[in-house]
Amino acid sequence: MAFYVTTPIYYINARPHVGSAYTTIACDALARYHRLRGERVRFLTGTDEHGQKIERAAAERGVAPQVFADEVARSFVEAWPQLSISNDDFVRTTEPRHTAGVQELWRRVRDNGHITLGEYEGWYCVADEAFYTEKELVDGKSPTGRAVERVREPSYFFALSRFQERLLAFYEAHPGFVAPEHRFNEVKAFVRGGLQDLSVSRTTFTWGVKVPDDERHVVYVWFDALANYLTSLGPGEREFWPPSVHVIGKEISRFHAVYWPAFLMAAGYSDDELPRQIYVHGWLTVDGEKMSKSAGNVLDPLKIAAEVSADALRYYLLRAVSFGQDGDFSHEDLLTRINTELGNDLGNLLNRTLGLCAKNTGGLVPSRGEGGDLERALDAALVKAARDAEAALGRIEPHRALDAIFELCREANRYVDKAAPWAEAKRGDAARVGTILATLLSVCEALSVLLSPFLPEKSAEMRRQLALAPLAPREGEDHWPAAPPVRAPGATLSPGQPLFPRIDDDQRRLLLERLTPRRPAAEVAAPPAAPAPTTETNKQDISIDDFGKLDLRVGVVVSAARVPKKDKLLDLRVDLGEPEPRRIVAGLALSFTPEALVGRRVVVVANLAPREFSKGLVSHGMLLAAGPSEDLRLVAVPDGPAPGTRVK
Ligand code: MSP
């Protein structure tokens, strides 16, 4: 079976933010889940790079649109792996495979008689890249509250009005085409209200796909963008068509649920060849406010991931918001859920289980005996969690799937208390202790599978600690647990660090301060003006020999701790490829928790004279970083060069 899931392709007038991360993470969880079930999966995301909005954004920056596009598209390509996104392809609308595909789709629609030349006069909103009728304007603005412009230009029109009846019939025959239902009702009401022909080309700018056989026009950016779902399929990938689900935000449902199927119908696609579902999710606010550049509260998902782990962010986004509804990103709630649900319910279960094994079974997987009512109840809870999560994911309700899985965690924690292996150990009943611990190990193993679509890194870490092979989804192999996993006794368990280390009150305060967006500059008192850099200060050139005196090295932070009574300092040990890690005391504590630094690949000034901060606290080097002390970014070295490698 094939499963083809897509995100919207994101405009490149903004870098990845929590909104685009939200959709992408949801699609990733779906893709990972379907791979785990043994399906052939294609997960597509990408960037929408044409149109007037992008042309203007590039002009504002004073660069050519393609240069601008390359730079911002890269920020998406590089961001997603940091959130463990497992997309199979990334489509850019400026790629030849796409532009050729758009022209082909255009020709087919035109040759079928559904595109004709005319003149457009009306309103256009560049921010929405959408045409609006007079009737649709609200107080002289677009329905989304953005500025509109009056335009009058020659334009090709798509005969959308011809498809009204066929669309309504299609909706009728496919009651799940748009979900959730209330979104489908909105779409149907819009189509029933009557469809006007749609302007599908522009002549007042040039940044787009050229209209075939009429180069004065560029293709309307939505005709261009929607086609990505088709154009990105290479010759060997056509079997994925039609898409199983396009996941989108609520503001673009009209484009996906009305225009897109109509374009495809016009190109000759039969109803069976149209996308199976458009899943419309809600919008996120940030601490109760609309996320926007002007409010200064656009959240950077990579910063959050660096502070609390990508998996914690993924979990939070998918658990805290009912998918399909609007929701709020609350920093307080994020940190609370990390401690309670991730730390206590999940992390502690694994810790407790492995700790009890270390104490009672010599750290080995014990054999499981017959068991009694308690074990049967927990086994049943496991099967129920797997089934409920499966059903929820089938309905694209990741929040409910997580709820079902975490109910199993809580059930397993209650089981430990009830079964009380410590009491059995005291009584000397080693067989019973073994059965209890084997039952718990079986739940932990099942959890490592059930959670892998949501928490891929932590699930892999769970499996490492449980001494299980990494999950390797393969076509035709279903890994979803249908029954409690049974393991041969004897393997040596490998307990490690807590999955989600507890965030104490001090760290919480610090994290809240660092993660909560600052108010826009206009609202805060202007800082005293810094002296403008003069050419003299910039001109103190040094020779290459001077530069050569600096011994810059690749380092990996192996441990980090706060320094009592010194708010700004962290006491680090950094691997520089020397026999012992170096001690470096760095002023990073306002920007990083100690945990966030461990494992970072940094650049170290390795030949700085030792500096004593206080008695006994001596630093033997310095890390390179940029920014104000409460928002520093470390200079990093990507994977590759070993610790100690010279930076030159
Ligand atoms: N380029 C078009 C889509 C073309 S698809 C053929 C576009 N791009 S966008 O960059 O504006 O991305 C919009 C999508 O980003 C939304 O549909 C949603 O998936 C996601 N989100 C952006 N901000 C969001 C929130 N504040 N909350 C939730 N999702 C948000 O529209």
Side-chain angles (χ1 to χ4, degrees):
M1 217 163 68
F3 180 78
Y4 177 19
V5 57
T6 68
T7 73
I9 48 171
Y10 301 107
Y11 286 131
I12 51 166
N13 62 328
R15 285 168 189 267
H17 53 71
V18 153
S20 38
Y22 178 56
T23 319
T24 313
I25 288 170
C27 290
D28 184 68
L30 290 175
R32 286 178 184 271
Y33 167 70
H34 284 269
R35 286 192 200 109
L36 212 51
R37 303 306 307 261
E39 292 168 46
R40 196 159 146 67
V41 169
R42 181 176 171 82
F43 167 21
L44 175 69
T45 187
T47 39
D48 187 355
E49 305 184 4
H50 287 134
Q52 204 165 9
K53 173 153 68 177
I54 305 307
E55 193 179 74
R56 285 188 187 172
E60 268 164 34
R61 282 267 311 276
V63 292
Q66 189 64 59
V67 174
F68 178 76
D70 288 347
E71 183 193 318
V72 189
R74 191 174 333 115
S75 73
F76 280 88
V77 171
E78 287 175 359
W80 296 144
Q82 298 177 55
L83 301 178
S84 302
I85 301 300
S86 63
N87 52 303
D88 300 294
D89 193 1
F90 187 103
V91 61
R92 297 184 53 190
T93 55
T94 49
E95 288 173 90
R97 65 168 169 162
H98 175 74
T99 51
V102 170
Q103 291 178 325
E104 189 190 320
L105 184 68
W106 177 284
R107 279 197 197 94
R108 284 174 67 177
V109 177
R110 183 198 61 192
D111 294 349
N112 287 340
H114 300 302
I115 289 182
T116 44
L117 189 60
E119 188 181 67
Y120 178 78
E121 179 167 10
W123 298 101
Y124 192 76
C125 172
V126 177
D128 295 352
E129 293 284 18
F131 300 95
Y132 292 110
T133 60
E134 188 79 43
K135 231 174 47 196
E136 284 176 302
L137 300 190
V138 183
D139 298 331
K141 295 205 162 145
S142 81
T144 56
R146 276 105 159 226
V148 290
E149 297 168 17
R150 188 84 190 160
V151 296
R152 185 174 170 194
E153 52 184 316
S155 176
Y156 283 95
F157 281 84
F158 169 65
L160 183 62
S161 55
R162 279 183 207 157
F163 292 88
Q164 180 175 357
E165 292 313 317
R166 185 163 161 202
L167 280 169
L168 288 171
F170 174 74
Y171 297 156
E172 193 63 31
H174 299 84
F177 178 58
V178 179
E181 204 181 345
H182 68 279
R183 296 284 169 215
F184 203 4
N185 293 337
E186 287 169 7
V187 166
K188 287 184 206 164
F190 173 74
V191 176
R192 275 197 212 106
L195 295 176
Q196 302 206 342
D197 290 350
L198 183 69
S199 166
V200 283
S201 76
R202 307 285 316 270
T203 48
T204 45
F205 65 92
T206 55
W207 182 238
V209 178
K210 299 263 177 282
V211 165
D213 311 314
D214 190 351
E215 299 229 324
R216 288 167 307 163
H217 291 252
V218 293
V219 173
Y220 171 42
V221 67
W222 271 100
F223 188 98
D224 167 350
L226 286 161
N228 88 86
Y229 303 131
L230 188 61
T231 60
S232 65
L233 294 180
E237 294 158 338
R238 292 290 148 102
E239 64 175 292
F240 286 108
W241 190 266
S244 311
V245 58
H246 294 308
V247 179
I248 59 166
K250 64 181 182 182
E251 81 293 355
I252 55 177
S253 56
R254 182 187 303 184
F255 300 96
H256 283 80
V258 183
Y259 300 172
W260 179 224
F263 293 157
L264 291 169
M265 287 172 178
Y269 285 76
S270 70
D271 287 7
D272 283 348
E273 294 167 327
L274 299 181
R276 297 267 178 264
Q277 187 172 55
I278 315 291
Y279 195 97
V280 184
H281 67 64
W283 265 53
L284 293 180
T285 49
V286 174
D287 293 324
E289 283 179 41
K290 192 173 167 208
M291 189 165 67
S292 74
K293 267 189 206 159
S294 55
N297 62 354
V298 177
L299 298 185
D300 176 357
L302 303 185
K303 182 168 173 190
I304 304 172
E307 295 288 356
V308 298
S309 79
D311 278 3
L313 173 66
R314 292 169 63 104
Y315 174 78
Y316 178 71
L317 287 173
L318 297 182
R319 177 69 194 86
V321 182
S322 296
F323 206 63
Q325 311 291 318
D326 288 337
D328 187 43
F329 189 106
S330 146
H331 290 85
E332 291 273 1
D333 192 27
L334 164 72
L335 301 183
T336 301
R337 285 180 190 264
I338 292 175
N339 274 353
T340 52
E341 292 157 18
L342 294 175
N344 290 348
D345 297 347
L346 174 65
N348 275 356
L349 176 67
L350 181 71
N351 251 355
R352 271 174 114 179
T353 304
L354 294 177
L356 285 164
C357 289
K359 208 159 163 201
N360 295 289
T361 67
L364 305 181
V365 174
S367 55
R368 183 173 171 168
E370 187 50 25
D373 287 350
L374 285 177
E375 285 69 38
R376 277 190 288 277
L378 188 59
D379 286 351
L382 186 158
V383 173
K384 179 173 173 356
R387 288 217 189 107
D388 288 352
E390 171 181 29
L393 286 168
R395 295 189 307 266
I396 315 203
E397 293 181 344
H399 57 290
R400 286 196 203 278
L402 281 169
D403 203 21
I405 298 168
F406 273 75
E407 186 47 41
L408 174 61
C409 291
R410 288 186 288 271
E411 195 59 46
N413 277 312
R414 288 191 285 268
Y415 165 82
V416 189
D417 298 336
K418 282 191 243 165
W422 43 88
E424 302 293 348
K426 223 183 230 165
R427 289 200 304 131
D429 192 344
R432 174 73 191 141
V433 173
T435 296
I436 297 170
L437 297 183
T439 307
L440 282 168
L441 285 170
S442 163
V443 172
C444 291
E445 177 173 349
L447 285 169
S448 77
V449 180
L450 296 170
L451 286 169
S452 66
F454 307 96
L455 311 175
E457 276 178 28
K458 301 294 177 180
S459 138
E461 172 61 16
M462 283 179 85
R463 295 184 72 82
R464 208 192 52 71
Q465 298 197 15
L466 292 166
L468 292 164
L471 279 173
R474 228 176 260 126
E475 240 183 284
E477 276 177 26
D478 187 356
H479 289 274
W480 205 247
V486 181
R487 252 180 115 173
T492 308
L493 297 160
S494 166
Q497 295 296 311
L499 294 178
F500 294 94
R502 190 165 181 79
I503 300 172
D504 65 26
D505 289 349
D506 282 347
Q507 285 170 308
R508 187 182 173 95
R509 233 171 290 123
L510 198 66
L511 279 170
L512 281 176
E513 195 171 299
R514 276 213 304 272
L515 291 176
T516 325
R518 287 174 223 306
R519 283 181 301 145
E523 282 180 45
V524 284
T534 61
T535 18
E536 267 97 274
T537 51
N538 287 341
K539 268 230 160 154
Q540 290 178 351
D541 298 338
I542 59 166
S543 72
I544 186 83
D545 295 338
D546 290 335
F547 177 72
K549 287 184 197 154
L550 266 180
D551 187 16
L552 299 176
R553 303 266 167 185
V554 174
V556 175
V557 179
V558 287
S559 73
R562 290 179 196 290
V563 179
K565 297 201 202 107
K566 302 269 184 210
D567 288 354
K568 293 193 180 159
L569 298 182
L570 290 180
D571 188 0
L572 312 176
R573 295 293 179 283
V574 181
D575 180 2
L576 288 179
E578 298 165 333
E580 290 287 315
R582 279 268 193 122
R583 182 179 201 184
I584 296 181
V585 181
L588 297 173
L590 298 182
S591 297
F592 298 90
T593 57
E595 294 74 27
L597 286 176
V598 175
R600 292 280 192 106
R601 296 170 54 80
V602 293
V603 175
V604 174
V605 184
N607 61 342
L608 201 65
R611 173 172 171 205
E612 187 164 37
F613 282 84
S614 58
K615 198 155 173 47
L617 187 66
V618 182
S619 180
H620 299 271
M622 189 171 92
L623 266 54
L624 295 188
S629 61
E630 71 290 350
D631 193 18
L632 283 165
R633 304 297 160 106
L634 286 171
V635 175
V637 180
D639 279 353
T645 308
R646 187 92 197 251
V647 178
K648 12 181 220 226

